[in-house]
Amino acid sequence: MASKTTKGDQDGEQHPETESTEAQFPELTVQAEGTANRLRCVDESSQTDCLETTQVELVVEHEIGSLDEWKDLINTNHREHTRTVNQGAIIDGLLNRVEGHYRRQSSSTVKAPDWDLTVTGSSTAWRRLFMEFYQLRGEGYDRAAKTVIRLRQLVNADLAGTNAALAALELVNQYDIDGATDSLVSEVAESTSAE
């Protein structure tokens, strides 16, 4: 637990001041880059809706601050062996957080072919998200195995990258978890060969 020191009243002594005991949410950032339509009212004095639509290139970056925000932005209803990440819905959620009115050109909640979407964080942040913050049943091996499944799904859906794959592989080694790791190893190998 971190602490900071402040000066005492008159005796010149220093006393520790403990920060909040609430655990800090792992540092994970969602980034989306693509084309959207910006809507704005042209004539506010008119009684009819006069909207101007302009096509713009956007880069939206948002740091996730809590588990509720993670669940709100990222579809967490993962099923094994399927790509269940609804990229369009995630991007729509990000656009709703941007000042102004922006809409994607596609209305699909599942796919967003003209957008690049990633969630970045350290391998420690990915492990903490599922092992400490996300409500997974079981202890030790069971919790780690469920975390590996979720991390693999995010990597397979191209939403999370090398650090998520590393986090999953660390858990596989630590808890001696059986299961497919080919996609995780491939992600790490591709990243290493690109450097």
Side-chain angles (χ1 to χ4, degrees):
M1 186 184 312
S3 65
K4 64 180 183 180
T5 308
T6 57
K7 289 193 173 183
D9 293 331
Q10 295 164 325
D11 57 6
E13 290 182 22
Q14 295 188 351
H15 304 281
E17 218 177 78
T18 306
E19 290 181 2
S20 172
T21 57
E22 206 174 292
Q24 184 180 359
F25 192 75
E27 290 184 19
L28 295 166
T29 303
V30 185
Q31 185 178 42
E33 184 174 349
T35 306
N37 290 328
R38 182 180 65 205
L39 308 174
R40 70 181 188 93
C41 190
V42 178
D43 183 7
E44 293 182 8
S45 64
S46 173
Q47 297 202 358
T48 60
D49 291 336
C50 297
L51 291 176
E52 175 185 69
T53 303
T54 309
Q55 189 175 2
V56 293
E57 291 289 321
L58 279 182
V59 176
V60 182
E61 192 170 280
H62 180 75
E63 188 172 317
I64 300 172
S66 68
L67 184 60
D68 287 340
E69 195 172 13
W70 166 266
K71 289 179 177 180
D72 184 44
L73 269 177
I74 311 296
N75 178 5
T76 55
N77 293 323
H78 301 293
R79 291 184 298 276
E80 197 168 359
H81 308 302
T82 60
R83 291 181 178 227
T84 59
V85 178
N86 293 341
Q87 294 190 350
I90 295 169
I91 294 165
D92 290 341
L94 288 172
L95 291 176
N96 288 338
R97 288 170 163 77
V98 176
E99 189 175 326
H101 299 286
Y102 295 92
R103 285 194 194 134
R104 285 183 305 119
Q105 293 172 331
S106 166
S107 60
S108 169
T109 59
V110 178
K111 296 182 179 181
D114 52 342
W115 282 78
D116 291 326
L117 179 66
T118 56
V119 182
T120 58
S122 68
S123 61
T124 303
W126 282 112
R127 280 179 65 150
R128 286 189 65 220
L129 171 67
F130 290 107
M131 294 291 285
E132 295 178 34
F133 285 87
Y134 210 76
Q135 298 300 317
L136 295 175
R137 293 182 183 163
E139 295 294 324
Y141 179 91
D142 290 337
R143 180 174 268 189
K146 290 173 186 173
T147 297
V148 169
I149 289 169
R150 281 154 179 79
L151 288 170
R152 184 174 58 232
Q153 289 167 336
L154 292 170
V155 169
N156 289 346
D158 294 326
L159 189 63
T162 306
N163 286 335
L166 283 172
L169 290 171
E170 288 167 6
L171 289 169
V172 166
N173 289 334
Q174 181 180 350
Y175 289 92
D176 196 23
I177 297 169
D178 290 329
T181 58
D182 294 349
S183 61
L184 301 171
V185 172
S186 294
E187 173 65 33
V188 174
E190 284 175 24
S191 172
T192 307
S193 65
E195 290 177 356

